[in-house]
Amino acid sequence: MTGRSVLKSTRPTSVFITKSYRDRSLALCGAVFATGIVAPALMAVWDSRRKISAPGDDGTRGKEESALSLEVVIPAYLEASVIPESISYIRKALTHWPGGSTSVRVIASDEETAVSASSADHVNLVGRTGKASAVNYGVAQSSADIVVLTDANCQIVPQDWPALLMDELQVFDLVSCNKGEILSSDTFFWAYERWVKSKQRNTLAVVGEFLAFRRRDYNAIPPDRISDDIAIAISFDKRGKRVGVSDQIGVLEEGAGPQEQWERRVRIASGQLYEVVPQFTGLTRSLAGRRYLIHKIYRLTVGPVAFWAAVAMLLRRAEWKGRAGILAGVLASVANYRYGFMGNTAASRATVVVGLQAVPPVAAVRALTRVGRGSRQGGQWQKVAR
């Protein structure tokens, strides 16, 4: 009787302790995941109080602004249908440059794009060796004081951005901007990014669609880099150069189809992991680097691990019917983000947060594969012709 009474009194306590432990573990995973969203926002509010001082003179700041020349360099591959309009739009914008001469240079990796870009001031036809190589070549060929890197399929806004850029170059050595996509399911993602960067401008969270710098400040990046934008930003940051995001300049591009967007997300994430993780310690030494690690890398590493751990806990503790519902919801969200069967609807946009958590694991596998292959794998990816 004594043994039975002890068993009856201790069993409920054991169940309670186990359930309490699971609840705390689930709450902890939720908090860790949410930190990836909340922490950058809190840092942005705090950091918005900081005053950004102008960088030191590098030799060109002593030159009269009215004499500074500017060249827009467009690395382009399979962009034959969009490059003429891009050149025309950029030419109109360059009339707002308050400095000296301006020009447009296209680094074409295919002959059809080179022919379509004939209205540019300079067209260089190169082989397809990756965007990083095209960028290096374009900057090396330029003789302008200021170089702007952009893509053929985007539009820099507002049209007087060159005048705004002149002001930004008094604050930053490398200037980037905010990005938006037209008719994209990632609307909330871009709005969040834009808000954080507007408060936290001195950051390495740049976009490759707009990078501006003094040509003499540029150091060639390794040609095998996939994420050329973060490689350039890290290069500037390592040398004590100020990297920042303009809150007045932006780029817009048409939202890609679901499968193209998925591939783009995975490629960018794998590139960031490949570039950044080996340089983690070095990046913690700079303010811009620390901001970037918390803003971007946390969401590619710690955040998704916590998310999938929470999903596993929910599946384990739920009844069979509940498990089926949870699993169906998660798989549907990922499949919708990957294939877009729900279209660009409110319901589809609501699944984006879950769908995005499937990107880091795939990107991590791809980044590890690149580490194993080393430099034998160039900085290329499957490109959709435009």
Side-chain angles (χ1 to χ4, degrees):
M1 291 294 292
T2 305
R4 287 182 181 179
S5 64
V6 170
L7 181 63
K8 286 181 181 179
S9 62
T10 58
R11 188 176 179 184
T13 303
S14 176
V15 172
F16 174 78
I17 292 174
T18 302
K19 184 176 183 298
S20 176
Y21 173 77
R22 290 176 179 174
D23 287 343
R24 289 197 300 270
S25 298
L26 184 60
L28 177 61
C29 286
V32 171
F33 173 72
T35 297
I37 301 172
V38 176
L42 293 177
M43 283 184 64
V45 172
W46 176 260
D47 290 341
S48 65
R49 303 176 183 181
R50 293 176 180 263
K51 292 184 179 180
I52 304 175
S53 58
D57 188 6
D58 66 352
T60 61
R61 290 186 178 83
K63 192 174 182 178
E64 289 293 333
E65 290 184 354
S66 60
L68 292 175
S69 57
L70 180 148
E71 182 163 85
V72 177
V73 176
I74 311 173
Y77 175 62
L78 300 181
E79 304 280 8
S81 66
V82 298
I83 195 73
E85 184 178 352
S86 295
I87 294 171
S88 176
Y89 180 85
I90 289 171
R91 282 196 181 283
K92 292 176 183 176
L94 290 179
T95 61
H96 296 278
W97 176 244
S101 63
T102 62
S103 57
V104 179
R105 182 182 297 271
V106 175
I107 310 300
S109 296
D110 66 287
E111 189 171 351
E112 190 175 354
T113 297
V115 172
S116 295
S118 59
S119 60
D121 298 287
H122 310 282
V123 179
N124 300 110
L125 178 60
V126 298
R128 195 193 178 199
T129 55
K131 187 178 178 182
S133 291
V135 168
N136 289 338
Y137 183 84
V139 177
Q141 291 296 306
S142 178
S143 60
D145 296 309
I146 309 298
V147 173
V148 175
L149 302 175
T150 190
D151 290 348
N153 66 317
C154 70
Q155 186 179 77
I156 308 172
V157 294
Q159 196 168 53
D160 66 343
W161 63 263
L164 302 174
L165 174 62
M166 183 70 87
D167 294 334
E168 297 289 2
L169 287 169
Q170 306 309 311
V171 180
F172 299 114
D173 296 295
L174 176 66
V175 179
S176 190
C177 71
N178 286 292
K179 180 181 176 181
E181 292 181 345
I182 303 169
L183 300 177
S184 170
S185 60
D186 291 350
T187 303
F188 298 130
F189 171 84
W190 291 118
Y192 172 82
E193 290 288 298
R194 189 163 52 250
W195 183 82
V196 170
K197 292 179 185 179
S198 70
K199 303 293 184 182
Q200 196 179 71
R201 300 211 297 138
N202 181 204
T203 175
L204 304 188
V206 300
V207 295
E209 290 83 356
F210 186 90
L211 292 172
F213 47 85
R214 290 169 175 78
R215 182 175 54 84
R216 62 178 293 168
D217 284 342
Y218 184 82
N219 281 358
I221 59 176
D224 68 329
R225 297 304 187 242
I226 286 182
S227 292
D228 53 282
D229 49 359
I230 186 59
I232 294 171
I234 291 175
S235 171
F236 271 72
D237 188 60
K238 273 185 173 180
R239 291 176 284 128
K241 302 291 184 180
R242 186 67 63 86
V243 181
V245 174
S246 171
D247 58 354
Q248 302 181 78
I249 304 172
V251 289
L252 292 173
E253 67 178 46
E254 294 287 341
Q259 297 190 46
E260 183 183 353
Q261 183 77 324
W262 168 267
E263 174 59 26
R264 180 187 297 176
R265 287 278 185 220
V266 172
R267 172 174 58 82
I268 292 173
S270 67
Q272 289 177 321
L273 291 173
Y274 183 80
E275 301 288 342
V276 175
V277 172
Q279 304 184 72
F280 182 91
T281 302
L283 290 174
T284 61
R285 299 191 182 108
S286 74
L287 176 62
R290 292 192 295 272
R291 288 171 172 172
Y292 177 78
L293 292 173
I294 294 174
H295 180 188
K296 293 288 188 177
I297 301 305
Y298 188 101
R299 295 209 313 259
L300 292 177
T301 53
V302 180
V305 168
F307 175 86
W308 291 113
V311 170
M313 290 179 192
L314 285 172
L315 289 172
R316 185 176 178 181
R317 67 184 295 176
E319 299 294 335
W320 282 107
K321 291 183 179 179
R323 291 179 185 177
I326 294 169
L327 193 60
V330 170
L331 292 178
S333 296
V334 173
N336 178 61
Y337 192 75
R338 175 69 175 80
Y339 299 105
F341 60 84
M342 296 173 65
N344 190 17
T345 61
S348 178
R349 289 191 288 273
T351 67
V352 167
V353 172
V354 175
L356 281 171
Q357 306 317 307
V359 172
V362 178
V365 171
R366 190 174 296 186
L368 289 172
T369 301
R370 281 178 54 79
V371 171
R373 293 178 181 176
S375 60
R376 289 175 295 171
Q377 181 174 348
Q380 300 179 15
W381 62 92
Q382 184 177 357
K383 177 69 184 288
V384 176
R386 297 185 180 89

